[in-house]
């Protein structure tokens, strides 16, 4: 049952008046009128006293609540010290409740603000990335329509360039789709026992032509006939494909790209090593972010979407693993990831 300050004061004052009258009635020679007068006086004075004290306490607490709400409004929440819990005062408890509720809401608001900023940045990045190949293809097609189509040499050259831009656009849309499907959870990992050596050999085969054109030696330094791990074959194929593709892209002619393994009882570490240009240390922490490139124009020229490593990171996270990188400028880079090893019959 909840009493208002007035009712509480009334009850307390009546009790005090009753006790006073009872006490006075025990004394000899005290008349009934005197008892009534004493009762009325003690009732009125205690009522006033109790009421003023209660109002004062309530106002003080309400004032505290308002002050705190004011601080919250001014975003000083982080500077507030948490009130002691287990307080007997119900208003103080309300104060605490509001405090923890507001802290929770403030955290949610901060999180939503971050997401909103991230979304805006992402849309701006995607629009920019889409614009580049669209404008290029558009330019070539319009030049052809404006007359260049009559010159056979120019026609072929421009059509090839427009086709290259559209291929880039297609790759970008594919990568964006993959990334968004992984993030929204539309792509479920299909875990099974797979042979990493066979998987890497298959990926290497796909890159033989591209490597040959650049006179790059591809090597699979296994040392193990088979290495069984618990993973999703298709997704890990994509991880190795993206890493080998980058290694070939960023390695000059005559270089080497090697896939090697380090197997312990529990895990298998896969390493993709190249003798390429390397990555300067300040960029190492950021290359797994979407659209982050060390050299934007070079990446685009090589047909890079800027999403390859972001996809690698997400797929590996889906496996509870992490992509690691070590690099020395001018010497090359090593990208690696660790997967849990299993026995073939598991
Ligand atoms: P991109 O499509 O641009 O290659 P990625 O996400 O695959 O996008 O890679 C991000 C950036 O990381 C690249 O633009 C490049 O600057 C750098 N990078 C990735 N792999 C290598 C590598 N093996 N050697 C040197 N730089 C690399």
């Amino acid at each position: 049952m909840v009493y208002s300050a007035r009712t509480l004061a009334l009850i307390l004052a009546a009790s005090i008046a009753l006790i006073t009258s009872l006490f006075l009635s025990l004394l000899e020679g005290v008349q009934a009128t005197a008892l009534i007068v004493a009762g009325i006086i003690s009732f009125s004075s205690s009522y006033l006293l109790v009421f003023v004290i209660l109002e004062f306490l309530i106002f003080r607490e309400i004032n505290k609540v308002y002050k705190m709400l004011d601080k919250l409004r001014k975003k000083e929440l982080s500077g507030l010290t948490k009130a002691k819990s287990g307080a007997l005062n119900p208003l103080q408890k309300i104060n605490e409740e509001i405090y923890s509720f507001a802290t929770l809401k403030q955290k949610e608001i901060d999180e939503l603000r971050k997401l909103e900023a991230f979304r805006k940045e992402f849309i701006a990045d995607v629009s920019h990335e889409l614009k580049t190949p669209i404008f290029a293809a558009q330019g070539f097609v319009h030049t052809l329509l404006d007359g260049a189509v009559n010159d056979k040499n120019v026609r072929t050259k421009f059509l090839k360039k427009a086709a290259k831009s559209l291929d880039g656009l297609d790759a970008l849309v594919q990568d964006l789709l993959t990334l968004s499907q992984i993030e929204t959870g539309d792509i479920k990992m299909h875990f099974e026992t797979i042979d990493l050596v066979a998987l890497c050999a298959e990926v290497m085969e796909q890159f033989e032509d591209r490597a040959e054109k650049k006179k790059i030696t591809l090597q699979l330094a296994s040392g193990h006939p088979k290495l069984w791990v618990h993973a999703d074959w298709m997704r890990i194929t994509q991880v190795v494909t993206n890493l080998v593709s980058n290694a070939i892209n960023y390695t000059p002619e005559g270089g080497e790209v090697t896939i090697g393994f380090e197997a312990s009882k529990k895990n298998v570490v896969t390493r993709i090593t190249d003798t390429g240009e390397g990555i300067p240390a300040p960029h190492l922490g950021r290359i797994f972010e979407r659209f982050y490139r060390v050299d934007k124009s070079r990446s685009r020229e090589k047909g890079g979407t800027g999403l390859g490593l972001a996809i690698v990171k997400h797929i590996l996270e889906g496996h509870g693993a992490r992509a690691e990188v070590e690099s020395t400028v001018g010497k090359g880079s090593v990208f690696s990831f660790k997967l849990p090893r299993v026995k073939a019959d598991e």
Side-chain angles (χ1 to χ4, degrees), residues 199-263:
L199 184 151
C200 291
E202 221 172 73
V203 174
M204 283 267 181
E205 238 178 79
Q206 283 170 23
F207 283 101
E208 267 169 9
D209 282 354
R210 232 173 92 187
E212 216 175 282
K213 275 187 196 146
K214 261 187 105 175
K215 297 187 180 67
I216 286 175
T217 317
L218 283 185
Q219 277 188 66
L220 184 65
S222 161
H224 301 266
K226 285 184 192 307
L227 279 170
W228 300 102
V229 291
H230 186 60
D232 180 324
W233 174 280
M234 250 177 72
R235 302 289 147 215
I236 295 300
T237 300
Q238 182 147 26
V239 167
V240 180
T241 302
N242 288 5
L243 294 178
V244 173
S245 169
N246 278 349
I248 296 175
N249 268 348
Y250 301 104
T251 298
E253 279 200 6
E256 268 177 35
V257 172
T258 313
I259 301 187
F261 305 96
E262 187 187 315

Side-chain angles (χ1 to χ4, degrees), residues 45 74 76 87 89 93-95 98 116 141 145 158-159 197 205 207 218-219 254-255 258 267 269 271-272 332:
S45 50
K74 287 178 190 159
E76 285 176 9
N89 187 339
K93 271 190 186 161
I94 293 173
N95 209 340
I98 294 175
E116 175 63 6
V141 172
L145 287 176
F158 276 31
L159 278 175
V197 181
E205 238 178 79
F207 283 101
L218 283 185
Q219 277 188 66
T258 313
N267 300 300
V269 178
R271 287 199 178 86
I272 290 95

Side-chain angles (χ1 to χ4, degrees), residues 175 242-243 245-251 272 274 276-280 283 286-296 298-300 302-312 325 327 332-335:
D175 276 0
N242 288 5
L243 294 178
S245 169
N246 278 349
I248 296 175
N249 268 348
Y250 301 104
T251 298
I272 290 95
D274 64 60
E277 61 197 51
I279 303 160
H283 297 280
R286 300 203 56 190
I287 53 171
F288 291 95
E289 290 172 19
R290 308 158 193 219
F291 300 123
Y292 190 86
R293 293 140 161 145
V294 177
D295 183 338
K296 277 190 189 256
R298 281 198 70 186
S299 153
R300 287 214 184 90
K302 289 167 193 288
T305 61
L307 293 173
L309 290 183
I311 292 175
V312 165
V325 56
S327 192
S333 314
V334 186
F335 283 84

Side-chain angles (χ1 to χ4, degrees), residues 48-231:
L48 269 173
L49 197 69
V50 173
F51 184 72
V52 167
I53 288 172
L54 280 176
E55 285 288 289
F56 169 74
L57 285 175
I58 289 166
F59 273 121
R60 204 182 59 173
E61 288 306 323
I62 287 176
N63 227 6
K64 270 191 201 168
V65 174
Y66 271 111
K67 268 187 190 161
M68 197 198 62
L69 285 175
D70 208 38
K71 275 191 177 179
L72 289 178
R73 238 179 265 129
K74 287 178 190 159
K75 279 175 128 195
E76 285 176 9
L77 186 66
S78 50
L80 287 177
T81 43
K82 202 174 185 299
K84 273 179 211 156
S85 54
L88 293 171
N89 187 339
L91 282 166
Q92 208 169 326
K93 271 190 186 161
I94 293 173
N95 209 340
E96 280 183 32
E97 293 280 321
I98 294 175
Y99 174 86
S100 46
F101 184 71
T103 317
L104 198 77
K105 288 291 152 202
Q106 189 62 43
K107 268 189 196 153
E108 278 175 22
I109 291 168
D110 288 348
E111 197 60 38
L112 284 173
R113 278 200 187 127
K114 251 192 237 162
L115 279 174
E116 175 63 6
F118 178 74
R119 194 185 63 85
K120 278 187 187 159
E121 196 184 318
F122 182 60
I123 289 175
D125 282 346
V126 171
S127 320
H128 180 75
E129 295 292 332
L130 288 172
K131 230 166 53 185
T132 314
I134 290 174
F135 277 12
Q138 199 180 26
F140 293 126
V141 172
H142 278 294
T143 318
L144 285 168
L145 287 176
D146 288 347
V149 74
N150 298 321
D151 182 331
K152 202 182 163 196
N153 287 336
V154 175
R155 184 172 63 205
T156 317
K157 194 172 136 194
F158 276 31
L159 278 175
K160 274 187 183 165
K161 285 194 173 189
K164 195 180 167 196
S165 294
L166 292 175
D167 287 347
L169 188 65
D170 180 48
L172 177 62
V173 172
Q174 293 289 347
D175 276 0
L176 275 172
L177 259 176
T178 311
L179 202 57
S180 96
Q181 281 171 336
I182 298 172
E183 280 183 357
T184 53
D186 286 347
I187 292 185
K188 293 267 176 290
M189 299 290 163
H190 178 66
F191 288 97
E192 53 187 341
T193 301
I194 60 167
D195 175 17
L196 254 187
V197 181
L199 184 151
C200 291
E202 221 172 73
V203 174
M204 283 267 181
E205 238 178 79
Q206 283 170 23
F207 283 101
E208 267 169 9
D209 282 354
R210 232 173 92 187
E212 216 175 282
K213 275 187 196 146
K214 261 187 105 175
K215 297 187 180 67
I216 286 175
T217 317
L218 283 185
Q219 277 188 66
L220 184 65
S222 161
H224 301 266
K226 285 184 192 307
L227 279 170
W228 300 102
V229 291
H230 186 60

